[in-house]
Amino acid sequence: MKILQISNYFYPHIGGVEQVARDIVGAIEGHEQKVFCFNHEKGDSSDVVDGTEIVRAGCFAKIASQSLSLSYGKLLKKTFKSFQPDVVIFHYPNPFGAHSLLKILKKYPNCKLVLYWHLDITKQKILGKLFNGQTNRLINRSAKIVATSPNYINGSKFLSINRDKCTVIPNCVNESRMNVSEECRKKAAEIRELNAGKTICFAIGRHVPYKGIEYLVRASKLLGGDYKIFIGGAGPLTQSLKELAKGDEKVCFLGKVDDVSLNAYMLACDIFCFPSVTKNEAFGIALAEAMSFGKPAVTFSIEGSGVNYVSLNGITGIEVQNANVNEYAQAVEVLAKDENLRERYGQVAKLRVAENFTYEKFKININKLLEEF
């Protein structure tokens, strides 16, 4: 079969959807593949990543998180004509891409559509309502809908009424990205030495509202001086977060971290903080990665999100009321004071990842899905 993936962006752009799309490319066995996405620049381009051709439509602007392109429709139509895909894996949401895709699919009635459902449109409420009709047309045209957790099926107004089309394929921890090298171990040892006697907390993610970093910074102010809170990543809220953290020497912003540093902080920390607050956090790959290191997590309860499917309250970590800073700080303190509890949660967390969220499991699930066609 010929498989065409349609993603917002693709590697080297780094993001959750893009990583899943790349994981799919590596997982598919015995089929010809191509990926179609937006380019980071204005011009169209084509290159090869992991042995697969990536066709990129030039992007001239981004409005409400949606990329816009003058050439997208024409280039996608050309790609369909030359490649003749049997199956399209469309990463949702992408309203601009969906508009072109639905028109083109009318001429390809035998082409199977797989909706890879990453999240509902929740932030842009007006746009979400505007595109309800388009979303329903995508669902009606689809042969299968992939959700990353059963929680998201239950919590989504679209998926919950289309369960017959839904299948769950959890995101994965790609072990090749989590390599603990000697350099990594050395850096982790240095981090622990520099913070001897302190409970080390680590958080990583884009500095955007749904990641909830603000609540972690506020929670830090309620903790004593025997903690160190390392926050990796960057984004539009970075400066305001730094302003919020002023005067709190416990908080250290690391900026963007490379793979060695990421794994070193994962290895060195006592507690992984994952303070996301909305369903925009549909799964939490970084959360699963931390769990693979045997780290207990502190999360918020997010109705309909897969976060609370990845980490289980009272089993692999502690889950507290959404956006409740006091409860979050208290949960961190509970784990900090009980080494045995941290160890127990961490061991179960590592086992949960090994049983559910490995790349090998992901590969099996993806290829099993394609076998249905």
Side-chain angles (χ1 to χ4, degrees), residues 185-218:
R185 292 185 189 280
K186 183 179 178 181
K187 190 176 181 77
E190 290 172 353
I191 294 167
R192 295 201 68 84
E193 185 178 348
L194 288 170
N195 296 279
K198 295 186 178 181
T199 298
I200 300 174
C201 301
F202 179 51
I204 182 77
R206 289 178 60 228
H207 296 174
V208 291
Y210 80 85
K211 287 291 186 181
I213 303 295
E214 169 194 344
Y215 301 97
L216 174 58
V217 173
R218 292 187 185 279

Side-chain angles (χ1 to χ4, degrees), residues 217-231:
V217 173
R218 292 187 185 279
S220 173
K221 294 178 183 292
L222 304 176
L223 298 172
D226 51 346
Y227 292 85
K228 191 68 179 181
I229 315 290
F230 290 104
I231 299 174

Side-chain angles (χ1 to χ4, degrees), residues 30-65:
H31 302 292
E32 189 176 347
Q33 299 187 66
K34 190 169 287 193
V35 175
F36 189 92
C37 63
F38 289 101
N39 197 357
H40 296 99
E41 301 174 356
K42 292 183 179 180
D44 300 338
S45 70
S46 176
D47 58 290
V48 175
V49 176
D50 301 333
T52 297
E53 183 184 4
I54 316 299
V55 180
R56 306 178 195 261
C59 176
F60 70 86
K62 183 177 281 192
I63 298 175
S65 301

Side-chain angles (χ1 to χ4, degrees), residues 118-135:
H118 292 274
L119 53 94
D120 295 351
I121 300 175
T122 56
K123 182 181 176 183
Q124 299 87 7
K125 294 186 182 298
I126 296 175
L127 283 179
K129 291 179 181 179
L130 181 65
F131 290 116
N132 276 355
Q134 181 192 79
T135 299

Side-chain angles (χ1 to χ4, degrees), residues 260-280:
V260 171
S261 297
L262 170 64
N263 293 341
Y265 280 99
M266 289 283 198
L267 196 61
C269 74
D270 299 296
I271 302 167
F272 186 72
C273 294
F274 198 76
S276 294
V277 289
T278 78
K279 279 177 61 183
N280 285 66

